[in-house]
Every structure is written in structure tokens, then in C-alpha cells.
Tab-separated table of all heavy atoms in Angstrom:
chain	number	residue	atom	x	y	z
A	13	ARG	N	0.849	-1.197	0.000
A	13	ARG	CA	0.000	0.000	0.000
A	13	ARG	C	0.880	1.241	0.000
A	13	ARG	O	2.004	1.214	0.489
A	13	ARG	CB	-0.918	-0.004	1.223
A	13	ARG	CG	-1.888	-1.163	1.203
A	13	ARG	CD	-2.783	-1.201	2.409
A	13	ARG	NE	-3.647	-0.019	2.520
A	13	ARG	CZ	-4.662	0.044	3.355
A	13	ARG	NH1	-4.952	-0.995	4.132
A	13	ARG	NH2	-5.394	1.147	3.418
A	14	ASP	N	0.361	2.308	-0.533
A	14	ASP	CA	1.135	3.541	-0.535
A	14	ASP	C	1.035	4.190	0.843
A	14	ASP	O	0.231	3.794	1.684
A	14	ASP	CB	0.645	4.487	-1.629
A	14	ASP	CG	-0.721	5.085	-1.321
A	14	ASP	OD1	-1.508	4.441	-0.592
A	14	ASP	OD2	-1.006	6.188	-1.812
A	15	ASP	N	1.899	5.174	1.100
A	15	ASP	CA	1.963	5.780	2.419
A	15	ASP	C	0.638	6.420	2.825
A	15	ASP	O	0.262	6.406	4.000
A	15	ASP	CB	3.071	6.839	2.456
A	15	ASP	CG	4.451	6.211	2.505
A	15	ASP	OD1	4.533	4.990	2.749
A	15	ASP	OD2	5.438	6.943	2.283
A	16	ALA	N	-0.058	6.991	1.885
A	16	ALA	CA	-1.327	7.642	2.197
A	16	ALA	C	-2.441	6.639	2.462
A	16	ALA	O	-3.480	6.995	3.018
A	16	ALA	CB	-1.729	8.572	1.056
A	17	GLY	N	-2.198	5.396	2.038
A	17	GLY	CA	-3.184	4.355	2.296
A	17	GLY	C	-4.314	4.310	1.312
A	17	GLY	O	-5.231	3.507	1.451
A	18	ASN	N	-4.264	5.151	0.277
A	18	ASN	CA	-5.361	5.198	-0.672
A	18	ASN	C	-5.082	4.449	-1.963
A	18	ASN	O	-5.827	4.596	-2.942
A	18	ASN	CB	-5.722	6.653	-0.987
A	18	ASN	CG	-6.626	7.224	0.073
A	18	ASN	OD1	-6.805	6.642	1.134
A	18	ASN	ND2	-7.193	8.380	-0.206
A	19	ALA	N	-4.008	3.672	-1.972
A	19	ALA	CA	-3.733	2.818	-3.118
A	19	ALA	C	-3.217	1.490	-2.596
A	19	ALA	O	-2.524	1.426	-1.579
A	19	ALA	CB	-2.712	3.454	-4.061
A	20	VAL	N	-3.562	0.444	-3.292
A	20	VAL	CA	-3.077	-0.890	-2.939
A	20	VAL	C	-2.620	-1.563	-4.216
A	20	VAL	O	-3.199	-1.355	-5.288
A	20	VAL	CB	-4.170	-1.710	-2.209
A	20	VAL	CG1	-5.394	-1.927	-3.069
A	20	VAL	CG2	-3.609	-3.034	-1.709
A	21	TYR	N	-1.559	-2.323	-4.086
A	21	TYR	CA	-0.939	-2.958	-5.237
A	21	TYR	C	-0.840	-4.466	-5.006
A	21	TYR	O	-0.785	-4.928	-3.862
A	21	TYR	CB	0.449	-2.377	-5.480
A	21	TYR	CG	0.467	-0.870	-5.541
A	21	TYR	CD1	0.794	-0.120	-4.414
A	21	TYR	CD2	0.131	-0.191	-6.708
A	21	TYR	CE1	0.790	1.264	-4.454
A	21	TYR	CE2	0.130	1.189	-6.758
A	21	TYR	CZ	0.455	1.909	-5.626
A	21	TYR	OH	0.445	3.280	-5.675
A	22	LEU	N	-0.786	-5.182	-6.098
A	22	LEU	CA	-0.567	-6.618	-6.021
A	22	LEU	C	0.474	-6.982	-7.058
A	22	LEU	O	0.199	-6.949	-8.268
A	22	LEU	CB	-1.862	-7.391	-6.265
A	22	LEU	CG	-1.772	-8.897	-6.037
A	22	LEU	CD1	-1.547	-9.197	-4.548
A	22	LEU	CD2	-3.018	-9.610	-6.527
A	23	GLN	N	1.669	-7.282	-6.592
A	23	GLN	CA	2.732	-7.757	-7.479
A	23	GLN	C	2.586	-9.260	-7.615
A	23	GLN	O	2.653	-9.983	-6.613
A	23	GLN	CB	4.100	-7.401	-6.907
A	23	GLN	CG	5.261	-7.906	-7.742
A	23	GLN	CD	5.348	-7.229	-9.100
A	23	GLN	OE1	5.178	-6.024	-9.206
A	23	GLN	NE2	5.604	-8.015	-10.139
A	24	MET	N	2.399	-9.702	-8.830
A	24	MET	CA	2.168	-11.126	-9.081
A	24	MET	C	3.318	-11.679	-9.911
A	24	MET	O	3.512	-11.249	-11.055
A	24	MET	CB	0.835	-11.321	-9.810
A	24	MET	CG	-0.356	-10.694	-9.086
A	24	MET	SD	-1.935	-11.076	-9.854
A	24	MET	CE	-1.755	-10.257	-11.435
A	25	ASN	N	4.064	-12.594	-9.337
A	25	ASN	CA	5.188	-13.226	-10.014
A	25	ASN	C	4.914	-14.706	-10.206
A	25	ASN	O	4.044	-15.282	-9.557
A	25	ASN	CB	6.469	-13.030	-9.205
A	25	ASN	CG	6.842	-11.577	-9.031
A	25	ASN	OD1	6.571	-10.746	-9.897
A	25	ASN	ND2	7.462	-11.260	-7.910
A	26	SER	N	5.686	-15.311	-11.080
A	26	SER	CA	5.557	-16.759	-11.339
A	26	SER	C	4.108	-17.140	-11.585
A	26	SER	O	3.588	-18.097	-11.006
A	26	SER	CB	6.125	-17.550	-10.150
A	26	SER	OG	7.471	-17.221	-9.918
A	27	LEU	N	3.470	-16.401	-12.453
A	27	LEU	CA	2.051	-16.617	-12.700
A	27	LEU	C	1.796	-17.974	-13.340
A	27	LEU	O	2.608	-18.475	-14.131
A	27	LEU	CB	1.500	-15.499	-13.577
A	27	LEU	CG	1.221	-14.189	-12.818
A	27	LEU	CD1	1.127	-13.018	-13.773
A	27	LEU	CD2	-0.038	-14.314	-11.990
A	28	LYS	N	0.661	-18.550	-12.981
A	28	LYS	CA	0.248	-19.848	-13.477
A	28	LYS	C	-1.088	-19.707	-14.207
A	28	LYS	O	-1.858	-18.790	-13.908
A	28	LYS	CB	0.087	-20.820	-12.313
A	28	LYS	CG	1.310	-20.967	-11.430
A	28	LYS	CD	1.003	-21.851	-10.244
A	28	LYS	CE	2.207	-21.996	-9.324
A	28	LYS	NZ	1.908	-22.861	-8.156
A	29	PRO	N	-1.395	-20.622	-15.110
A	29	PRO	CA	-2.706	-20.549	-15.784
A	29	PRO	C	-3.869	-20.520	-14.806
A	29	PRO	O	-4.897	-19.873	-15.079
A	29	PRO	CB	-2.706	-21.803	-16.656
A	29	PRO	CG	-1.263	-22.046	-16.949
A	29	PRO	CD	-0.537	-21.663	-15.694
A	30	GLU	N	-3.723	-21.177	-13.677
A	30	GLU	CA	-4.814	-21.197	-12.694
A	30	GLU	C	-4.994	-19.863	-11.969
A	30	GLU	O	-5.946	-19.706	-11.202
A	30	GLU	CB	-4.621	-22.324	-11.681
A	30	GLU	CG	-3.264	-22.371	-11.029
A	30	GLU	CD	-2.330	-23.363	-11.719
A	30	GLU	OE1	-2.288	-23.395	-12.981
A	30	GLU	OE2	-1.607	-24.089	-10.984
A	31	ASP	N	-4.111	-18.927	-12.210
A	31	ASP	CA	-4.296	-17.576	-11.672
A	31	ASP	C	-5.225	-16.742	-12.557
A	31	ASP	O	-5.569	-15.614	-12.193
A	31	ASP	CB	-2.950	-16.860	-11.557
A	31	ASP	CG	-2.023	-17.503	-10.533
A	31	ASP	OD1	-2.512	-17.879	-9.449
A	31	ASP	OD2	-0.817	-17.608	-10.829
A	32	THR	N	-5.607	-17.283	-13.699
A	32	THR	CA	-6.502	-16.561	-14.595
A	32	THR	C	-7.838	-16.289	-13.909
A	32	THR	O	-8.487	-17.207	-13.410
A	32	THR	CB	-6.733	-17.366	-15.884
A	32	THR	OG1	-5.495	-17.460	-16.595
A	32	THR	CG2	-7.781	-16.702	-16.766
A	33	ALA	N	-8.222	-15.024	-13.879
A	33	ALA	CA	-9.462	-14.617	-13.201
A	33	ALA	C	-9.651	-13.121	-13.371
A	33	ALA	O	-8.745	-12.417	-13.834
A	33	ALA	CB	-9.398	-14.964	-11.714
A	34	VAL	N	-10.802	-12.664	-12.966
A	34	VAL	CA	-11.018	-11.231	-12.775
A	34	VAL	C	-10.602	-10.912	-11.347
A	34	VAL	O	-11.053	-11.562	-10.407
A	34	VAL	CB	-12.479	-10.829	-13.019
A	34	VAL	CG1	-12.670	-9.342	-12.744
A	34	VAL	CG2	-12.893	-11.164	-14.451
A	35	TYR	N	-9.735	-9.926	-11.207
A	35	TYR	CA	-9.217	-9.545	-9.893
A	35	TYR	C	-9.915	-8.275	-9.426
A	35	TYR	O	-9.996	-7.278	-10.168
A	35	TYR	CB	-7.703	-9.335	-9.974
A	35	TYR	CG	-6.946	-10.629	-10.012
A	35	TYR	CD1	-6.984	-11.453	-11.136
A	35	TYR	CD2	-6.194	-11.054	-8.914
A	35	TYR	CE1	-6.309	-12.657	-11.163
A	35	TYR	CE2	-5.506	-12.255	-8.935
A	35	TYR	CZ	-5.568	-13.054	-10.059
A	35	TYR	OH	-4.887	-14.247	-10.084
A	36	TYR	N	-10.401	-8.322	-8.183
A	36	TYR	CA	-11.136	-7.217	-7.603
A	36	TYR	C	-10.394	-6.654	-6.400
A	36	TYR	O	-9.869	-7.397	-5.570
A	36	TYR	CB	-12.516	-7.680	-7.130
A	36	TYR	CG	-13.410	-8.191	-8.229
A	36	TYR	CD1	-13.414	-9.537	-8.571
A	36	TYR	CD2	-14.266	-7.324	-8.903
A	36	TYR	CE1	-14.239	-10.015	-9.574
A	36	TYR	CE2	-15.103	-7.793	-9.906
A	36	TYR	CZ	-15.080	-9.137	-10.237
A	36	TYR	OH	-15.903	-9.594	-11.239
A	37	CYS	N	-10.423	-5.359	-6.299
A	37	CYS	CA	-9.920	-4.650	-5.134
A	37	CYS	C	-11.093	-4.377	-4.209
A	37	CYS	O	-12.211	-4.110	-4.680
A	37	CYS	CB	-9.269	-3.349	-5.611
A	37	CYS	SG	-8.829	-2.179	-4.337
A	38	ALA	N	-10.847	-4.436	-2.896
A	38	ALA	CA	-11.923	-4.186	-1.941
A	38	ALA	C	-11.364	-3.505	-0.700
A	38	ALA	O	-10.175	-3.631	-0.394
A	38	ALA	CB	-12.614	-5.494	-1.566
A	39	ALA	N	-12.248	-2.813	0.011
A	39	ALA	CA	-11.845	-2.113	1.235
A	39	ALA	C	-12.906	-2.317	2.306
A	39	ALA	O	-14.102	-2.362	2.004
A	39	ALA	CB	-11.671	-0.619	0.951
A	40	ARG	N	-12.463	-2.457	3.553
A	40	ARG	CA	-13.398	-2.590	4.655
A	40	ARG	C	-12.962	-1.769	5.849
A	40	ARG	O	-11.763	-1.699	6.150
A	40	ARG	CB	-13.611	-4.054	5.021
A	40	ARG	CG	-12.487	-4.735	5.715
A	40	ARG	CD	-12.821	-6.196	6.035
A	40	ARG	NE	-12.827	-6.468	7.454
A	40	ARG	CZ	-13.095	-7.647	7.983
A	40	ARG	NH1	-13.415	-8.663	7.211
A	40	ARG	NH2	-13.077	-7.815	9.293
A	41	ASP	N	-13.944	-1.200	6.513
A	41	ASP	CA	-13.707	-0.325	7.651
A	41	ASP	C	-13.279	-1.127	8.884
A	41	ASP	O	-12.413	-0.704	9.648
A	41	ASP	CB	-14.992	0.452	7.943
A	41	ASP	CG	-14.797	1.479	9.032
A	41	ASP	OD1	-13.654	1.881	9.299
A	41	ASP	OD2	-15.808	1.907	9.623
A	42	ASN	N	-13.870	-2.308	9.066
A	42	ASN	CA	-13.567	-3.128	10.232
A	42	ASN	C	-12.271	-3.891	9.998
A	42	ASN	O	-12.195	-4.788	9.162
A	42	ASN	CB	-14.719	-4.102	10.480
A	42	ASN	CG	-14.450	-5.010	11.677
A	42	ASN	OD1	-13.535	-4.770	12.458
A	42	ASN	ND2	-15.247	-6.059	11.811
A	43	ILE	N	-11.226	-3.527	10.746
A	43	ILE	CA	-9.935	-4.191	10.534
A	43	ILE	C	-9.697	-5.317	11.525
A	43	ILE	O	-8.643	-5.954	11.497
A	43	ILE	CB	-8.774	-3.184	10.615
A	43	ILE	CG1	-8.665	-2.588	12.029
A	43	ILE	CG2	-8.942	-2.087	9.582
A	43	ILE	CD1	-7.411	-1.779	12.240
A	44	LEU	N	-10.691	-5.576	12.370
A	44	LEU	CA	-10.547	-6.645	13.346
A	44	LEU	C	-11.014	-7.967	12.760
A	44	LEU	O	-11.783	-7.997	11.798
A	44	LEU	CB	-11.356	-6.306	14.607
A	44	LEU	CG	-10.977	-5.006	15.313
A	44	LEU	CD1	-11.878	-4.781	16.509
A	44	LEU	CD2	-9.517	-5.018	15.723
A	45	GLY	N	-10.555	-9.047	13.354
A	45	GLY	CA	-10.967	-10.356	12.881
A	45	GLY	C	-10.292	-10.723	11.575
A	45	GLY	O	-9.344	-10.077	11.136
A	46	THR	N	-10.790	-11.761	10.962
A	46	THR	CA	-10.175	-12.195	9.720
A	46	THR	C	-10.515	-11.250	8.573
A	46	THR	O	-11.663	-10.859	8.413
A	46	THR	CB	-10.597	-13.624	9.349
A	46	THR	OG1	-9.992	-13.975	8.105
A	46	THR	CG2	-12.115	-13.735	9.212
A	47	ILE	N	-9.531	-10.880	7.811
A	47	ILE	CA	-9.760	-10.044	6.630
A	47	ILE	C	-9.622	-10.877	5.361
A	47	ILE	O	-9.658	-10.357	4.258
A	47	ILE	CB	-8.804	-8.837	6.575
A	47	ILE	CG1	-7.341	-9.279	6.627
A	47	ILE	CG2	-9.108	-7.871	7.720
A	47	ILE	CD1	-6.341	-8.137	6.449
């Protein structure tokens, strides 16, 4: 994430065919429990 917290990145290496998908970004206010 960037310092301001308003951007998130996903570096994906060694990609496999099974990684094929639509990738979604999401945000949640509750940071407790499992994310």
C-alpha cells in the first residue's frame, strides 16, 4: 500500500494458468478479525 493508504498494489510473479481470473480490489472499515 502507498503511504497515504489510498492505493493498494498486487505484485504477481511466477504466474500460473490457474491464476486466470477477474481480480477485484476491496476495502473494509472493520480491521478486526479475519480479513
Side-chain angles (χ1 to χ4, degrees):
R13 296 179 62 168
D14 71 333
D15 285 347
N18 278 12
V20 61
Y21 309 96
L22 187 67
Q23 178 67 43
M24 305 186 295
N25 299 328
S26 302
L27 281 161
K28 305 175 181 180
E30 51 263 44
D31 294 318
T32 295
V34 177
Y35 283 71
Y36 298 91
C37 170
R40 72 180 242 179
D41 185 21
N42 179 13
I43 65 170
L44 301 178
T46 178
I47 56 175

